Amino acid sequence: MSPIAELYIFVMAVLAGFQVIAKVPSILHTPLMSATNAIHGIILVGALILALSIHSGAGLVIALLAVFFATINLVGGFVVTDRILGMFRSEREVGPKS
Amino acid sequence: MNVLQQILYMVSATLFVLGVRFLGSPASARRGNALLMGGMGVALLTTLVFIPHFSHVALIVLVVAIGSAIGVVSARRVQMTAMPQMVALFNGLGGGAAALVAAGGTAPSGLADWLARLTMILGSVSFGGSLIAFLKLQEWLNVRPRYFLGLRVAGLVMLAMAVIDGLAGHASGSPALSVLLMLMAAVTGALLTLPIGGADMPVVISLLNGLTGLSAAATGFVLDNPLLIIAGTLVGASGTILTQQMSRAMHRSLGNVIWGQKVVESEGGGSGGPVQPITPEDVAMLLRYARKVVIVPGYGLAVARAQMEVKQVTDLLHGFGVDVLFGIHPVAGRMPGHMNVLLAEANIDYDQLWEMERINPRFRETDVVLVIGANDVTNPAARTQVGSPLYGMPILNVDHAGHVIVLKRSMGRGFAGVDNPLYGDPKTRMLFGDAKHSLGALVRELEGTA
């Protein structure tokens, strides 16, 4: 993919990101932050590509460390976000509360 | 890249954007998080299916299993008051991973190499800064103000050295220089975060979150992976918006948060009349016969672990037909939106949690305001005293209400070190003592009048 095409993607992502995130009310800013925190766990994709294609040596150590960090970031981030959101309740909501 | 792979990555990116959109309302937020998880699942599976090489699979599975276990256990165990440091820690790990991925990539050339070095700097700064933020929030680390200037200067020097290292590393391609680059950038992040105070943490962790997002996006450019660019940029946008909103809520520029605290002027002018104490019995009577009550919680409430008592007070008042709402300042707590989570944990209905802009017009028709563990965010000097360090900061206009009850441990000042004229206001009464004890006494009084 050409650098210019990637630049387009980046700029469009900035615009889309500002649009959707500006609409999140301050009551939900903590889960927003922990959820976006989990999203940057997407770096696990890069870490896996690296770890699966490298042969050995120092590069492998670096790649595995990246996989380790990214996994904690990703899994922990989603679990904690779900836990936080599970606490937000309202009497207006219909149906059983978990 | 295979066409099918591209399409699946696009599905994943769409799920990310929709997921964040669903986070925009409390009723749909949990589904939003599920969409985000789905997007992540699609991304990871697609990557694994289309990757041409498969080496060290067993080792990688083991590392992922250990990492997942650590992630799940720490996420399940963490207390909600400790959420900011947990987020800081996860964030630092993400930044570290981005830096390592950029460093480990097979020596790209030209533009990609510059981007890889930039990623190493961004990710490592986020790593070092987040670790220090974690230690400070956990209160395992405290720095005396007299070292602040030295730390900031050392941080800048370290950053300059990291940039020089980046230039040299690009020229020589030496792996040792890449390792050194990450170390120096991590130390830079640590040095620059050390002098930042506890009350400024909401701004700092928002900023570090955005920084990690950008480093993930930059990795996307290095690896030619559009999904990393989109996902990382979403996080960068979120971090930027939260940083702006937090700075605005404290009426400070980002530069001011990072480069120095406001100088405290010990000019006590306009404190108003003498402070008037009140007993829990009298507070109970006031609340019992009020029509509209607003509770203004600050981080002091969480420090005193009094959320459950607050819930009991609201339940009792509801029983008397009193309308109770919570007025929440954007910087209440140690991270954006923290106070809402702490109250939600105590089973307080989120419909009762009103943000500053929404609650402020209501104070004029409110009979009693209960201020618990909040100080600077209720200080009317922010509206009236032009010389005050708080002047211009958006506050909760509690002084517009009929009565103001302030629960406070002692007459100490807030983080800004400024006198609060609210306490001398003729309609303010002070209920001194630990918030948990005071509220407990209040609960007993209210139960007695039932």
Side-chain angles (χ1 to χ4, degrees):
Chain A
M1 196 174 277
S2 75
I4 285 299
E6 287 177 348
L7 198 60
Y8 265 106
I9 291 173
F10 173 70
V11 173
M12 291 301 134
V14 168
L15 295 176
F18 273 92
Q19 280 298 315
V20 290
I21 286 152
K23 291 196 178 84
V24 178
S26 65
I27 177 177
L28 289 169
H29 276 172
T30 294
L32 169 68
M33 186 169 244
S34 68
T36 53
N37 203 5
I39 294 177
H40 63 54
I42 189 74
I43 193 69
L44 180 58
V45 165
L48 284 174
I49 294 174
L50 196 62
L52 286 166
S53 52
I54 263 176
H55 297 295
S56 60
L60 183 62
V61 176
I62 285 183
L64 287 177
L65 195 59
V67 170
F68 182 61
F69 282 1
T71 308
I72 300 179
N73 176 190
L74 191 160
V75 175
F78 279 128
V79 172
V80 95
T81 306
D82 190 61
R83 213 183 120 201
I84 294 173
L85 290 172
M87 295 187 310
F88 280 91
R89 284 152 210 218
S90 171
E91 284 166 12
R92 281 183 318 166
E93 280 177 45
V94 211
K97 294 165 190 177
S98 56
Chain B
M1 212 179 265
N2 185 301
V3 176
L4 184 58
Q5 185 180 11
Q6 293 276 24
I7 289 173
L8 287 170
Y9 273 170
M10 200 166 70
V11 169
S12 169
T14 309
L15 287 171
F16 285 152
V17 175
L18 286 177
V20 175
R21 182 74 189 83
F22 275 52
L23 283 178
S25 118
S28 65
R30 212 167 178 185
R31 261 178 296 149
N33 191 45
L35 285 183
L36 295 177
M37 285 194 256
M40 195 61 80
V42 171
L44 290 171
L45 284 177
T46 307
T47 306
L48 292 178
V49 168
F50 287 95
I51 199 160
H53 347 257
F54 266 107
S55 41
H56 323 291
V57 174
L59 201 55
I60 290 168
V61 169
L62 181 71
V63 170
V64 168
I66 298 173
S68 304
I70 295 176
V72 170
V73 170
S74 45
R76 288 243 174 96
R77 290 225 177 129
V78 63
Q79 298 217 330
M80 288 300 142
T81 40
M83 193 50 62
Q85 47 269 49
M86 179 98 281
V87 168
L89 199 58
F90 287 159
N91 185 57
L93 293 176
L100 290 169
V101 170
T106 42
S109 56
L111 182 63
D113 186 73
W114 287 118
L115 283 166
R117 283 174 208 283
L118 178 68
T119 310
M120 286 184 238
I121 293 183
L122 290 177
S124 304
V125 166
S126 173
F127 179 75
S130 300
L131 283 190
I132 295 297
F134 166 78
L135 292 172
K136 293 195 80 158
L137 285 160
Q138 190 77 15
E139 292 178 354
W140 286 350
L141 187 71
N142 199 10
V143 187
R144 293 204 201 124
R146 63 189 165 112
Y147 298 124
F148 285 3
L149 183 64
L151 288 166
R152 290 187 178 117
V153 171
L156 284 186
V157 170
M158 193 55 80
L159 183 62
M161 283 165 61
V163 171
I164 293 168
D165 179 298
L167 297 173
H170 179 77
S172 74
S174 144
L177 285 180
S178 294
V179 174
L180 191 62
L181 178 66
M182 290 192 285
L183 284 177
M184 290 198 291
V187 173
T188 301
L191 288 170
L192 293 180
T193 311
L194 274 169
I196 299 175
D200 294 340
M201 278 300 159
V203 181
V204 177
I205 63 173
S206 306
L207 185 66
L208 291 168
N209 183 274
L211 205 57
T212 303
L214 285 182
S215 60
T219 317
F221 281 101
V222 177
L223 299 177
D224 262 340
N225 188 316
L227 183 58
L228 283 182
I229 298 179
I230 293 171
T233 306
L234 269 180
V235 184
S238 158
T240 308
I241 287 180
L242 290 176
T243 308
Q244 279 175 348
Q245 292 192 358
M246 292 299 113
S247 304
R248 204 178 302 141
M250 297 201 304
H251 192 59
R252 295 177 56 185
S253 68
L254 183 56
N256 183 274
V257 171
I258 296 173
W259 298 118
Q261 265 82 358
K262 269 187 178 168
V263 182
V264 174
E265 294 145 51
S266 55
E267 169 210 347
S271 274
V275 165
Q276 304 172 77
I278 190 169
T279 59
E281 295 96 297
D282 292 342
V283 177
M285 289 318 276
L286 260 179
L287 292 174
R288 166 99 174 66
Y289 295 104
R291 280 176 304 112
K292 288 182 177 173
V293 170
V294 173
I295 299 178
V296 171
Y299 194 61
L301 173 74
V303 173
R305 299 179 183 279
Q307 295 96 306
M308 283 326 222
E309 283 77 3
V310 170
K311 165 71 175 163
Q312 286 175 297
V313 168
T314 54
D315 284 350
L316 285 162
L317 290 178
H318 278 152
F320 296 131
V322 183
D323 179 24
V324 185
L325 291 173
F326 288 80
I328 298 179
H329 194 273
V331 295
R334 285 291 179 272
M335 71 182 291
H338 194 192
M339 188 51 64
N340 299 289
V341 176
L342 296 174
L343 294 173
E345 189 189 18
N347 283 321
I348 290 166
D349 192 325
Y350 62 71
D351 276 337
Q352 284 176 267
L353 310 176
W354 285 28
E355 54 195 63
M356 181 170 65
E357 291 77 16
R358 193 165 164 220
I359 198 91
N360 262 344
R362 257 184 93 109
F363 281 119
R364 287 198 189 280
E365 46 187 89
T366 299
D367 304 304
V368 186
V369 173
L370 216 52
V371 178
I372 311 172
N375 186 350
D376 292 338
V377 298
T378 62
N379 193 333
R383 286 197 317 264
T384 53
Q385 287 180 23
V386 181
S388 167
L390 293 176
Y391 184 72
M393 176 170 132
I395 59 158
L396 290 156
N397 297 324
V398 297
D399 55 325
H400 289 167
H403 298 271
V404 182
I405 310 292
V406 179
L407 275 75
K408 209 162 158 20
R409 192 177 276 280
S410 66
M411 277 307 289
R413 293 166 166 180
F415 281 113
V418 189
D419 285 323
N420 193 340
L422 178 70
Y423 305 153
D425 191 303
K427 52 188 182 184
T428 302
R429 295 290 180 275
M430 310 292 292
L431 182 55
F432 287 111
D434 173 73
K436 196 179 176 74
H437 288 133
S438 297
L439 287 166
L442 197 53
V443 167
R444 282 189 296 280
E445 292 298 334
L446 285 169
E447 278 169 344
T449 64

